[in-house]
Amino acid sequence: MTYDTNSVPAGSGITVSKYADNTLTVLALAVSGLRAGHTYGAHVHTKPCGNRPADAGPHYQDRKDPHQPSVDPTYANAKNEVWLDFTTNAKGDGAAVSLNHFKFRPGEARSVVIHEHKTETGPHTAGTAGARMACFTLPLSPAN
């Protein structure tokens, strides 16, 4: 699903690869044809993509923040969430890898969302990365 065709033009591509064992989850993201020379945020979200950007739900968190939306750096951080921020080259291609020491809970990791800018880390803004530009639904965790 593309929500902003200026940042993610028609014909853009995305590939997500996953490796997981009992203690580790590795996600690799590769994109092509996006806006050149731009830094995007990208995260795993809890729901599948939908017609509206918000349909993908919040970021997947290993330890869920009781206060949503989560902007507390204790919860909204690259160790507790999957952050795949990347910067595109002159052709609009980019890539990122995230290594996390947790497994996804069944049915709770359902999409990858590309955001407007790099992920923030400060108090009251941690985990935010601007508007949702595009969303890719894929089964990152087994069904319930």
Side-chain angles (χ1 to χ4, degrees), residues 62 75-83 99-102:
D62 184 45
Y75 297 95
N77 63 67
K79 290 184 179 182
N80 193 48
E81 298 182 349
V82 178
W83 291 7
L99 185 146
N100 294 89
H101 293 281
F102 57 75

Side-chain angles (χ1 to χ4, degrees), residues 4-5 10 14 27 30 33 37 42 51 56 62 71-72 78 84 91 96 101-103 114 118 123-124 132 138 142:
D4 182 326
T5 56
I14 183 170
L27 251 57
N51 291 329
D62 184 45
V71 291
D72 178 348
L84 294 157
K91 291 182 176 181
H101 293 281
F102 57 75
K103 289 176 58 173
I114 296 174
K118 182 179 192 273
H124 310 294
R132 297 174 186 200
L138 69 163

Side-chain angles (χ1 to χ4, degrees), residues 14-101:
I14 183 170
T15 301
V16 177
S17 303
K18 175 185 152 191
Y19 166 82
D21 64 20
N22 288 332
T23 61
L24 182 70
T25 299
V26 179
L27 251 57
L29 170 76
V31 297
S32 61
L34 277 65
R35 188 170 67 187
H38 184 77
T39 300
Y40 293 85
H43 312 109
V44 170
H45 283 248
T46 59
K47 297 180 182 177
C49 308
N51 291 329
R52 295 172 304 152
D55 290 345
H59 294 176
Y60 177 90
Q61 294 182 321
D62 184 45
R63 289 183 317 115
K64 292 181 184 181
D65 186 342
H67 301 98
Q68 294 292 327
S70 181
V71 291
D72 178 348
T74 303
Y75 297 95
N77 63 67
K79 290 184 179 182
N80 193 48
E81 298 182 349
V82 178
W83 291 7
L84 294 157
D85 292 11
F86 60 92
T87 300
T88 55
N89 63 18
K91 291 182 176 181
D93 300 342
V97 175
S98 177
L99 185 146
N100 294 89
H101 293 281

